[in-house]
Amino acid sequence: MEITTHSTEETKDLAKRLAQKAKPGDIYALYGDLGSGKTTFTSFFVAALGFKNRVQSPTFVIVRNYKRDTGEIKQVFHVDLYRLTSEAEVEDIGLDEMMSTADTITIIEWPEIYDKKLPEHTKKMYFEYADKGARKIKYV
Ligand SMILES: Nc1ncnc2c1ncn2[C@@H]1O[C@H](COP(=O)(O)OP(=O)(O)OP(=O)(O)O)[C@@H](O)[C@H]1O
Ligand SMILES: [Mg+2]
């Protein structure tokens, strides 16, 4: 699928639609340049899943974790591999464990460095700058 969202509001609509289909165990790999909208999408997606937390970029902390007690999906790991430089570093932060935790969704920004080791069922999304307020988003 390919969609151009012409505002953050339209990116929110996409996030809501995809959140309705989300299942525990899902892994989302978000590709795209700086400012292409990966964190913005994630923030809307996590909200649409029903988490009340404010989602902030994990770029500097590498992993942010959102939890709740109710519902099928109890936890989200939001990971940013931008500052990591090897597969070994990704293993050290425990990404494999996060991705195989029950009742959990894992969302990964800048996944390129770990591309070869992402599970087969990873949902890949590609974000591109289209215009000041518009982003092209491709996904399966
Ligand atoms: N249609 C749109 N969809 C999503 N974001 C948009 C859109 N139009 C403009 N923006 C703006 O683009 C910026 C996207 O920033 P964001 O932090 O989400 O990017 P990112 O891909 O996570 O970057 P980084 O690689 O630095 O983590 C935000 O300021 C957002 O408001
Ligand atoms: Mg980001």
Side-chain angles (χ1 to χ4, degrees):
M1 308 270 260
E2 180 177 319
I3 183 173
T4 298
T5 63
H6 298 90
S7 61
T8 52
E9 212 45 42
E10 288 186 21
T11 297
K12 185 178 186 174
D13 292 339
L14 172 68
K16 281 187 187 166
R17 288 202 300 279
L18 295 183
Q20 280 166 5
K21 297 194 232 163
K23 299 261 183 308
D26 280 353
I27 300 161
Y28 293 81
L30 311 185
Y31 299 81
D33 285 342
L34 293 167
S36 59
K38 304 178 295 295
T39 299
T40 301
F41 170 84
T42 302
S43 159
F44 292 137
F45 184 80
V46 171
L49 288 174
F51 288 78
K52 305 292 179 211
N53 319 260
R54 185 163 80 98
V55 172
Q56 291 179 274
S57 174
T59 302
F60 293 100
V61 292
I62 303 182
V63 183
R64 289 190 191 272
N65 180 212
Y66 303 101
K67 287 188 185 189
R68 64 172 182 189
D69 295 327
T70 53
E72 242 197 330
I73 298 161
K74 299 247 176 348
Q75 179 169 230
V76 173
F77 286 112
H78 181 196
V79 185
D80 191 328
L81 305 182
Y82 186 71
R83 281 152 33 94
L84 304 191
T85 56
S86 68
E87 283 181 355
E89 280 184 10
V90 180
E91 276 155 14
D92 286 347
I93 65 158
L95 183 61
D96 292 334
E97 290 79 1
M98 292 176 218
M99 293 191 293
S100 57
T101 304
D103 310 323
T104 295
I105 284 185
T106 308
I107 303 168
I108 309 162
E109 297 189 37
W110 293 98
E112 284 86 347
I113 195 172
Y114 211 59
D115 246 347
K116 282 182 249 143
K117 299 211 165 170
L118 292 173
E120 193 82 50
H121 69 278
T122 301
K123 297 172 192 296
K124 301 189 170 185
M125 298 183 69
Y126 299 87
F127 291 74
E128 267 177 55
Y129 182 96
D131 196 355
K132 195 161 164 281
R135 301 291 184 273
K136 189 158 84 178
I137 303 167
K138 293 184 202 162
Y139 59 101
V140 183

